[in-house]
Amino acid sequence: MENALVEERPKKVLGRRRKFRSTRFLLHAIIILFIIVVLCPLLYTIKLSLQDIPSAYQGYLLPTHWTLDHYPYVLTELPTATRNLVNSIWVTIATVILVSAVSVIAGYALVHLPTPGKGLVLAFLVGTLFFPTRLLSLIGIYQVQKLLGLQNETYGLIFPYVSIGLALSVLIMRSVFEQISVEITEAAYVDGANSWYTLWHIMFPLVKNGLVVIIMVNFVVVWGEYLISMTLIDDMEKRTFPVVLTQVSVGQAQWSWPRLSAMYIVAILPGIVGFIISQRWYMKGLTEGAIKM
Amino acid sequence: MAATASRLQELQATRRRRERLTTLKNSINWLYLLPFVIFFVLWQAYPLFRVAYLSFTDYWYIRGDPPVFIGLENFANALVDPVVHDGLLRATIFTVMFLPGCILLPLAVAAMVDRVTQGRLATFYRIILLIPAMIPGPMVFVMWRTIYNYQIGPINEILVNILGWYSFGNAPQWLGGGTLTLPAMVVMENWWGLGYHTMFFLAGMATIPRDLYDAAKVDGANEWNTFWRVTVPRLRPMLLVMTVLRFGTAMAVIDEYLILGGLVRNTSTYTWTVYMWHLAFQLGDWAQGYAAAIGWIGAAAMLVIVAFLFWLFRNRD
């Protein structure tokens, strides 16, 4: 009797563990399947950018000849494309810096300062999230830009660009600032710090992760912005890169598919690399309240 | 007695005066909001008001004449314009096809990634899933335009050269506004949004107390039941906000229609958004007054459905 009991017990445990293992395996298998689906289009584009032109047009999924020539070619031989890439780079940098600064100080004032009428500001901010502002305001933005002499100027794009990401950025910053206890501000005031000093020396180090989220979100929006740029800028050499990328007549000699792919990889790589480098802070920023938006 | 009353009144008056003074003094904090207000007013609020005003006028940008007030004529014309009807219908078809995958797929993926116990592996999965979210929309569309390409795209290449189901004479036409373009766009959009939405649900799941799962396990519930009885009800507010938000954004997308479709009126990608943009910045003398009216009609239709969704999902407890 006793022996039978002893023998039975391990069997049961083993059975449960085996079942446990097979569900684990299935779990990872399904996740990995999704990951492959996510990566496939990207890997295909990378492959296309490394493929020589004839084999890309002969319907081979795998290239007969690998080549790196397309990368130097697109960066040196296509004058307006390089110009457009440079335009995009400085417009993006300027916009991201501006929008970060504006939303950090606004988020601070909305949470830690007694600002009269902040409920109204908040209502406007949330309202714009539910409203197709970017699309609907475009006609008006065109006229504002014309009025201010900013239409058909690359730097003129910075102002509407700051405003498209602004509502979301301020709201994200607001929920990040809400994670910081009021006592910290009060302690700073008791020590004689004013609100400006408190923001930059005491609060700022505490909201850095949220700032990383804002930088990434706005980088992605502005770096790829297409509609406003296409509508506001008429001259080819003043345009930003996404507009050129979408409008080149593909298939012709200069812009053959592998070359377009090489240009494309150049365009998307900074964002992906930047994300992988900053992912630790980004994920922390998301959990620190940014995700509540 | 009277003296006490007047004293009380005096005290209240001082307090009120002091409160008003504090409010006044606190108004200085608006300096922190000033940069935000400048950008918000000049490039969001004013343009919207301007568009609202133009929608009541006869205004053609190229002609250079000042807007002439014509009341509701633009709206009356737009409401009987068959292109507007088709445009709204097409946007709705896209949204209805897009929404289920945009909510359910990330929910399923999040439920699985949430079960991964090895920290490093879980982080790795998250990073890979988030990579598409780091590619700007228009660039995602350009990439998928290559993938859906009729001749060189890998999908048709597999269908023709490897599986041999089609020849290049009758291979599916994914782009250009045919019947396949909207479903093709739905696949692309779900690919793009998968990781981002998964992150939202993962954050939501992280707030669910573990005791609930343990209790469910003790009661003998399996994973499937636990997911539907514990996880989903806890995520309900988040699911609601996501559905409504994504509904709104999906109804008003335009970049993907312009990049993957084109500007041909009787194709499936010529939605109200494309029509509005086309009228305002491309066609003839730029009928911006009429385009503004179409924009407001589209936005209003969208807001009505958003309000309806909120009412539908309202908390009945």
Side-chain angles (χ1 to χ4, degrees):
Chain A
M1 260 314 256
E2 262 192 58
N3 268 348
L5 266 179
V6 169
E7 264 182 31
E8 226 178 72
R9 217 176 269 153
K11 231 189 225 164
K12 225 179 183 175
V13 171
L14 198 72
R16 196 177 289 165
R17 189 176 290 164
R18 196 170 285 158
K19 193 189 159 210
F20 177 73
R21 260 194 205 152
S22 69
T23 47
R24 288 273 111 174
F25 177 76
L26 196 67
L27 178 78
H28 287 276
I30 298 175
I31 295 175
I32 288 167
L33 193 76
F34 271 100
I35 280 182
I36 291 171
V37 170
V38 164
L39 287 180
C40 257
L42 291 167
L43 293 176
Y44 172 79
T45 312
I46 293 173
K47 181 227 71 167
L48 194 56
S49 76
L50 297 173
Q51 191 165 14
D52 66 321
I53 294 173
S55 86
Y57 281 84
Q58 280 158 9
Y60 295 109
L61 272 185
L62 281 176
T64 46
H65 297 286
W66 297 91
T67 171
L68 274 171
D69 293 349
H70 303 310
Y71 285 88
Y73 182 89
V74 292
L75 287 177
T76 53
E77 301 290 311
L78 299 167
T80 72
T82 326
R83 180 90 208 100
N84 302 129
L85 196 62
V86 172
N87 287 345
S88 269
I89 291 171
W90 68 261
V91 165
T92 306
I93 292 175
T95 307
V96 168
I97 291 174
L98 264 173
V99 88
S100 306
V102 172
S103 50
V104 165
I105 57 176
Y108 172 66
L110 285 177
V111 178
H112 289 281
L113 295 179
T115 318
K118 55 181 165 186
L120 195 71
V121 176
L122 215 61
F124 270 115
L125 287 176
V126 176
T128 54
L129 291 189
F130 288 88
F131 198 76
T133 319
R134 184 182 70 122
L135 177 76
L136 213 57
S137 60
L138 193 58
I139 296 171
I141 286 178
Y142 189 91
Q143 295 179 4
V144 169
Q145 297 288 92
K146 199 86 183 176
L147 210 71
L148 298 175
L150 298 171
Q151 193 260 333
N152 200 23
E153 294 292 349
T154 311
Y155 70 87
L157 288 173
I158 294 170
F159 305 97
Y161 279 6
V162 168
S163 72
I164 35 173
L166 197 59
L168 187 67
S169 306
V170 173
L171 281 170
I172 291 176
M173 236 35 235
R174 182 182 156 268
S175 39
V176 173
F177 271 112
E178 271 184 341
Q179 305 286 306
I180 303 172
S181 90
V182 192
E183 285 146 34
I184 295 180
T185 339
E186 279 162 7
Y189 288 157
V190 169
D191 291 345
N194 62 21
S195 56
W196 186 251
Y197 182 91
T198 313
L199 168 60
W200 295 111
H201 293 265
I202 294 159
M203 293 288 184
F204 188 69
L206 299 172
V207 297
K208 268 186 188 156
N209 297 331
L211 194 63
V212 170
V213 175
I214 295 214
I215 290 172
M216 289 306 291
V217 166
N218 282 289
F219 168 82
V220 171
V221 170
V222 175
W223 179 245
E225 208 290 326
Y226 164 73
L227 185 69
I228 296 176
S229 176
M230 180 177 60
T231 309
L232 292 180
I233 309 289
D234 307 322
D235 299 342
M236 194 65 182
E237 71 269 20
K238 286 182 182 169
R239 287 195 153 154
T240 53
F241 192 64
V243 180
V244 178
L245 204 59
T246 49
Q247 293 198 331
V248 284
S249 45
V250 199
Q252 286 163 15
Q254 265 195 332
W255 281 104
S256 64
W257 289 102
R259 283 181 187 151
L260 180 75
S261 305
M263 202 73 207
Y264 183 81
I265 296 294
V266 170
I268 64 167
L269 215 54
I272 296 175
V273 171
F275 164 63
I276 290 174
I277 292 170
S278 66
Q279 56 86 15
R280 182 179 303 176
W281 302 285
Y282 182 87
M283 301 282 189
K284 266 192 209 152
L286 280 186
T287 49
E288 272 171 15
I291 204 115
K292 289 206 191 102
M293 284 328 305
Chain B
M1 199 58 188
T4 331
S6 74
R7 176 97 186 100
L8 204 69
Q9 253 174 3
E10 209 172 284
L11 263 174
Q12 273 171 345
T14 348
R15 190 189 294 156
R16 228 175 290 134
R17 215 174 304 134
R18 201 174 295 151
E19 267 169 16
R20 220 174 293 144
L21 206 70
T22 332
T23 314
L24 207 69
K25 221 166 66 186
N26 285 340
S27 298
I28 194 103
N29 291 330
W30 271 88
L31 280 179
Y32 286 89
L33 292 174
L34 191 65
F36 160 74
V37 169
I38 290 172
F39 280 108
F40 187 77
V41 167
L42 270 179
W43 283 281
Q44 296 220 292
Y46 172 73
L48 278 179
F49 281 117
R50 175 82 187 160
V51 171
Y53 165 69
L54 286 179
S55 66
F56 295 105
T57 64
D58 185 28
Y59 182 61
W60 305 73
Y61 185 80
I62 298 288
R63 291 184 192 166
D65 305 328
V68 181
F69 188 80
I70 52 165
L72 291 169
E73 206 182 303
N74 284 330
F75 289 93
N77 290 338
L79 285 174
V80 293
D81 187 341
V83 187
V84 175
H85 297 167
D86 288 345
L88 283 168
L89 183 69
R90 286 163 186 156
T92 313
I93 292 172
F94 168 74
T95 307
V96 168
M97 283 196 292
F98 160 74
L99 264 185
C102 148
I103 301 291
L104 298 177
L105 273 181
L107 187 63
V109 174
M112 288 187 285
V113 174
D114 196 44
R115 286 260 166 280
V116 175
T117 42
Q118 301 92 324
R120 284 216 176 149
L121 204 57
T123 314
F124 172 76
Y125 287 154
R126 282 165 203 239
I127 293 172
I128 302 280
L129 287 170
L130 261 181
I131 283 179
M134 298 303 142
I135 307 174
M139 293 184 183
V140 169
F141 313 147
V142 170
M143 179 168 73
W144 282 81
R145 193 173 60 182
T146 313
I147 288 166
Y148 283 133
N149 184 272
Y150 182 76
Q151 282 180 320
I152 118 136
I155 294 178
N156 276 5
E157 221 152 79
I158 290 169
L159 290 177
V160 173
N161 288 340
I162 295 174
L163 296 173
W165 292 355
Y166 295 95
S167 70
F168 272 120
N170 65 359
Q173 187 88 42
W174 302 103
L175 302 175
T179 41
L180 288 172
T181 308
L182 287 185
M185 271 176 55
V186 168
V187 170
M188 174 190 79
E189 294 277 345
N190 281 324
W191 176 86
W192 185 35
L194 179 72
Y196 195 61
H197 293 141
T198 302
M199 284 307 126
F200 273 77
F201 290 134
L202 277 172
M205 287 173 186
T207 62
I208 303 174
R210 289 285 130 178
D211 319 1
L212 286 178
Y213 290 111
D214 295 338
K217 204 175 265 175
V218 169
D219 291 346
N222 58 24
E223 299 263 337
W224 182 253
N225 283 333
T226 316
F227 176 72
W228 287 107
R229 300 275 167 80
V230 179
T231 314
V232 172
R234 284 267 158 173
L235 290 181
R236 194 166 164 267
M238 191 176 229
L239 284 168
L240 157 69
V241 172
M242 285 274 261
T243 310
V244 176
L245 262 183
R246 297 310 291 165
F247 176 88
T249 47
M251 275 302 278
V253 294
I254 178 167
D255 300 36
E256 35 275 76
Y257 296 131
L258 292 177
I259 293 170
L260 297 178
L263 290 170
V264 187
R265 262 193 198 187
N266 51 10
T267 53
S268 67
T269 51
Y270 200 85
T271 62
W272 67 276
T273 55
V274 179
Y275 187 37
M276 187 200 109
W277 184 83
H278 203 189
L279 278 173
F281 297 106
Q282 298 266 306
L283 286 175
D285 286 347
W286 296 18
Q288 294 192 339
Y290 188 50
I294 292 171
W296 279 101
I297 287 175
M302 209 190 92
L303 285 180
V304 166
I305 301 178
V306 163
F308 171 72
L309 284 176
F310 268 127
W311 176 80
L312 194 70
F313 296 133
R314 73 193 181 280
N315 212 340
R316 269 162 249 215
D317 306 330

